[in-house]
Amino acid sequence: MKTHLTHCDATELIGLLKAKKVSPREVSEAFLNAIAQKDPVLHAWEYINQEAIDRQLRKIETLDPKSHPLWGLPIGIKDNYNTFDMPTQMGSPLWKDFTPGNDARVVHYLRRSGALILGKTTTAEFAVHYQDKTRNPHDLERSPGTSSSGSAVAVAADMIPVAFGSQTAGSIGRPASYCGVYGYKPTFGILPRVGVLKTTDTLDTLGFLTKSARDLKLILDASRVHGKNYEYVYEHLDNYSSTPKKSFKIGIIKHPKWHLADHVAKEAFQHFVDKLNPTFFEVEELKYPAEMEKIYEIHGLIYDKTLSYYFREEFKQGTLISPIFHEIITQGQKTTLDAYKQSLQKQACLTLDFHNYFASYDVLLTLTTADEAPIGLTTPDIPDSNLIWTFLGMPTVSIPALKGKHGLPIGVLAIAKKYDDYLLLECVEKIQKENNETL
């Protein structure tokens, strides 16, 4: 056993729990102690309630560990997911102490699998941009990323083994890269969005952050939809067949904002690519389609327009919203309905076109972020490619593989075609193993 439970990943913790080497209560106490010690500085948690935890533990202790895959595992939930026993405040004082009275579908799935919902992690205002509270555990003066920063910091600082987040542009990938953890954004829609704050209908994607590659499939299996009612999920995930000795065809993609990346990050990425074992990885560089450059503008139009629709009441109040949120809504109000509909059509067409364009590759690799975390909690990020993959609905994993010029983490982003999630996770786990668990 490792010297401290909080250093374990989810897979190891579940092994200890099911072997009765440690109880769910002991595990929860270890993480609560870590939170008590670290969170007064890092501010990754929005809400924790001991009575709610005790009620869950009493129920978990009555369940059969053999039939509950996440039995006793503590999990953090971003504060834009509904929880029936905790407030859901969405990073805004306008919704302080709001209690939705129900669980988001994903939270329900996790509890059904035996997980302990330990508490709610911080989010940027309405899961968009503005946050001035949560700190990066590697350097308190640097950004932890937005908007799933609370979840990324909680995992990176050993305050929780797994935490859920959401991504409408780069809100899982960037915090994962800046904080040095795995960040997984699945194929659009395979984690149900019922009971989660809606910001942009065709972009909002749920996902999670972990300490290891092997935890990703474990948590995906417990939180995604299953069955014939979900046609593509049934065909591509429910009936997926693994090929253990598969050699992965890897495409290296230097996206439209690649020129903005720091030269040390680019050198570290190239060194990472050069070390990939040719026995398991066939690597070639590909040229991105010219249409990829248009995605930034189309994404922005859809994003701003839908935010101006869903948050029109908050906007009317004129107070208690940040200047950047006010600016986004003002911009969205200028967009006509026809322009919005045309953008949705372009999104559908480009999603199909890019699926076909990347058909000959198993996985693409690029930098997750352009550099280490920027100094300042509200400093704008250097543009990267995260929103492209969100726009196209393609699954991504940020692998904590690189270090920047100050020794701080930078992620490598692995991308697969829609519904190739299991193939992607197998490739990421193979990369981790090939690097001797050093990533």
Side-chain angles (χ1 to χ4, degrees):
M1 184 186 300
K2 289 188 177 182
T3 54
H4 202 294
L5 292 171
T6 59
H7 296 167
C8 298
D9 67 1
T11 302
E12 184 171 5
L13 277 174
I14 288 174
L16 295 171
L17 284 160
K18 294 200 172 188
K20 302 292 180 71
K21 293 182 178 179
V22 64
S23 71
R25 192 169 295 275
E26 289 171 323
V27 171
S28 69
E29 288 174 354
F31 283 102
L32 287 171
N33 287 337
I35 291 169
Q37 293 172 14
K38 300 176 181 179
D39 206 50
V41 174
L42 297 177
H43 305 292
W45 293 87
E46 191 65 45
Y47 186 86
I48 291 178
N49 181 279
Q50 187 64 55
E51 290 184 10
I53 293 170
D54 288 339
R55 281 195 298 272
Q56 292 181 78
L57 284 170
R58 287 193 291 272
K59 182 176 181 180
I60 289 168
E61 287 163 354
T62 68
L63 303 177
D64 180 4
K66 294 179 182 176
S67 57
H68 293 83
L70 302 184
W71 189 74
L73 181 72
I75 289 179
I77 300 293
K78 183 176 177 179
D79 196 30
N80 62 338
Y81 288 56
N82 285 1
T83 41
F84 86 93
D85 53 355
M86 304 175 193
T88 302
Q89 303 173 109
M90 298 169 282
S92 169
L94 292 170
W95 288 86
K96 182 175 172 52
D97 298 328
F98 170 67
T99 52
N102 56 32
D103 275 341
R105 183 76 59 82
V106 164
V107 174
H108 166 70
Y109 286 170
L110 295 172
R111 293 193 204 262
R112 188 178 64 181
S113 296
L116 168 68
I117 307 303
L118 199 69
K120 307 293 284 287
T121 55
T122 57
T123 173
E125 178 188 34
F126 299 122
V128 182
H129 284 297
Y130 185 76
Q131 85 86 23
D132 61 355
K133 177 180 178 181
T134 305
R135 301 294 181 127
N136 190 316
H138 298 280
D139 184 337
L140 298 178
E141 300 304 316
R142 291 178 183 265
S143 167
T146 60
S147 66
S148 305
S149 51
S151 292
V153 170
V155 173
D158 294 332
M159 293 190 281
I160 199 77
V162 177
F164 275 69
S166 61
Q167 176 160 314
T168 308
S171 293
I172 291 175
R174 287 194 197 114
S177 181
Y178 293 160
C179 295
V181 298
Y182 286 85
Y184 173 37
K185 181 197 77 67
T187 292
F188 176 79
I190 71 170
L191 265 59
R193 298 181 297 169
V194 177
V196 181
L197 175 67
K198 184 185 290 186
T199 62
T200 310
D201 300 77
T202 62
L203 298 171
D204 291 342
T205 311
L206 309 188
F208 48 85
L209 302 107
T210 69
K211 298 166 75 76
S212 72
R214 64 180 182 173
D215 285 352
L216 298 171
K217 182 177 183 299
L218 171 77
I219 303 302
L220 174 63
D221 286 343
S223 57
R224 72 170 175 87
V225 296
H226 294 74
K228 293 183 179 179
N229 287 338
Y230 306 95
E231 183 179 356
Y232 289 101
V233 170
Y234 182 73
E235 178 180 351
H236 296 283
L237 281 87
D238 291 4
N239 289 300
Y240 177 75
S241 296
S242 174
T243 307
K245 295 184 179 179
K246 177 179 175 58
S247 175
F248 295 92
K249 186 169 183 181
I250 304 291
I252 304 301
I253 185 161
K254 297 179 179 176
H255 53 76
K257 304 298 182 184
W258 183 263
H259 63 287
L260 300 175
D262 181 75
H263 73 93
V264 175
K266 290 178 180 176
E267 291 169 3
F269 177 74
Q270 188 59 53
H271 182 63
F272 171 88
V273 171
D274 292 343
K275 286 176 60 182
L276 291 174
N277 187 337
T279 303
F280 302 110
F281 306 101
E282 177 188 353
V283 179
E284 68 179 39
E285 187 166 329
L286 73 155
K287 184 178 180 182
Y288 65 80
E291 290 81 4
M292 186 175 277
E293 298 184 11
K294 302 176 182 176
I295 290 177
Y296 293 89
E297 180 180 356
I298 303 170
H299 178 284
L301 189 150
I302 295 172
Y303 191 40
D304 294 354
K305 182 63 177 175
T306 50
L307 285 173
S308 72
Y309 173 77
Y310 283 122
F311 295 93
R312 58 192 182 280
E313 295 302 323
E314 287 82 357
F315 182 78
K316 284 179 184 176
Q317 296 188 38
T319 59
L320 300 179
I321 61 173
S322 67
I324 189 170
F325 198 71
H326 189 280
E327 181 182 336
I328 290 171
I329 292 180
T330 302
Q331 185 64 33
Q333 290 172 335
K334 299 175 183 174
T335 300
T336 66
L337 185 58
D338 283 345
Y340 172 67
K341 289 180 177 179
Q342 289 170 13
S343 295
L344 292 182
Q345 290 175 350
K346 291 176 184 175
Q347 184 185 16
C349 291
L350 288 171
T351 297
L352 182 60
D353 290 348
F354 276 73
H355 181 87
N356 294 330
Y357 187 85
F358 296 130
S360 62
Y361 297 94
D362 293 314
V363 170
L364 310 177
L365 293 179
T366 192
L367 284 167
T368 306
T369 51
D371 199 355
E372 302 167 329
I375 295 174
L377 300 185
T378 58
T379 303
D381 297 292
I382 300 171
D384 51 48
S385 70
N386 279 286
L387 69 78
I388 291 174
W389 318 114
T390 309
F391 179 90
L392 298 172
M394 297 168 70
T396 62
V397 176
S398 183
I399 307 169
L402 311 179
K403 298 291 185 186
K405 54 183 172 291
H406 299 102
L408 299 173
I410 301 174
V412 169
L413 196 67
I415 308 129
K417 295 182 290 296
K418 289 182 73 174
Y419 303 105
D420 275 353
D421 292 71
Y422 283 140
L423 182 70
L424 173 64
L425 301 189
E426 287 178 2
C427 182
V428 170
E429 193 165 355
K430 175 71 77 176
I431 289 172
Q432 184 189 38
K433 287 179 179 177
E434 284 297 303
N435 283 276
N436 299 317
E437 305 286 332
T438 58
L439 300 182

